[in-house]
Amino acid sequence: MILKRGREGPVRGGNPWIFSQAIERIDPPLPEAGALVSVHDSAGTLIGTGYCNPATTIAIRMLAWGETPAIDELVARRLKSALGLRKRFIRDDTNAYRLINGDGDGLSGVVVDRFGDVLVVQILTAGADRMRETIVAALNEMLHPRSIIERSHGAVRKQESLDDQTAVLLGESVTQTIAVENGIKLKIDFEHGQKTGYFLDQRDNRATAGSIASGARVLDAFCYQGGFSLAAIAGGASKVVAVDTSARALEVARQNLELNEHSATAVEFVHGEAGKFMAETPNRFDLIILDPPPLARSRGDADRAGRLYVELNTVAMRALAPGGRLMTFSCSTHFRADDFVRAVRFAASNAGRTLRLIAHLGPGPDHPTLLGHAEGEYLTGLLLADL
């Protein structure tokens, strides 16, 4: 792949995505989707190696810069590096974390989440699809898991002309397991759970919520399987209300409550729309966690998402007790972090609240992104406190 003159700057700066309009020519023309290619600047100087899909907007996804080893060696090296990084950050009372975070760990299109002795793999692109057997073999050699499950689905696979795939790649057929996060037991449902079975990116933020929940009346809006609620209880919350539209997710949340030997009345579960609940409740809460699903699933959704973030944060702030704290999040890839901050500011004005910014929030260190790859950032949050 030969890049156009002046278009090599982003990739030299660490951005692994090369868009089709940056390519001058392909030699030979039109390789198969997922094929490994060497990438050169307009003068012919080698930049590195990636895999390509000429049919997609992101035509090349880089795997390495400079001279590149054989793919088996590269995968083994990336996995070893990723595990070493996690060992430095993951707490001893946690066995659920992201082991491979795609581009952030140098394996574009590959996600591996670890739940104790079960690994769940997502293969999202044509190039990653060609590495499946190599990845499974390297994971088995390094970790000897009880099971490696694949749950590959979503918009990216469709863009790559790949069908969704669910399979047991190695070991036992496991439909669920019990994992531990920050000392809290969680039921992980591999058949019905979202993504790989659980949202691991909020682990550190759940710990933060628990640390400020003592004596608080807590609202867990869009609670899913109750992760923030469980953290709040562990942190000594006086009352917890958890709201979600998914009856299945609420049932798992109840099971998690029982799994951790809490009373069935420790959390008030509400099956309904969180925004409507916040707008209509007469109660006020000392801590509100607002963690909606993605509101912008494409660039075209950004304006609508902005309005929805303003509306949701406005009703959340109105439900906040004097002196209360709000943890509010956006996980929309196509809605920029600074736009989210702007939406929250508009919400504060609408709600007539004066709030202090205590901290910017994001995913834990098991979800790294490359410094030069702003497109890899998606989860952004704010911890706010009423003045």
Side-chain angles (χ1 to χ4, degrees), residues 222 243 272-281 312 315:
F222 303 95
V243 185
E273 203 279 311
K276 185 173 186 291
F277 175 87
M278 291 186 291
E280 297 178 354
T281 182
L312 282 173
V315 294

Side-chain angles (χ1 to χ4, degrees), residues 288-304:
I288 296 177
I289 299 103
L290 183 58
D291 184 25
L295 301 181
R297 296 185 181 276
S298 69
R299 291 180 182 177
D301 293 335
D303 289 344
R304 175 179 173 274

Side-chain angles (χ1 to χ4, degrees), residues 1-4 6-16 18 22 37-50 60 62-68:
M1 292 285 188
I2 310 299
L3 302 184
K4 293 178 180 177
R7 301 301 295 269
E8 71 276 6
V11 68
R12 287 197 188 280
N15 192 323
I18 300 176
V37 294
S38 61
V39 179
H40 304 256
D41 65 17
S42 59
T45 303
L46 176 69
I47 297 175
T49 299
I60 306 171
M62 296 294 289
L63 293 173
W65 282 256
E67 295 294 335
T68 306

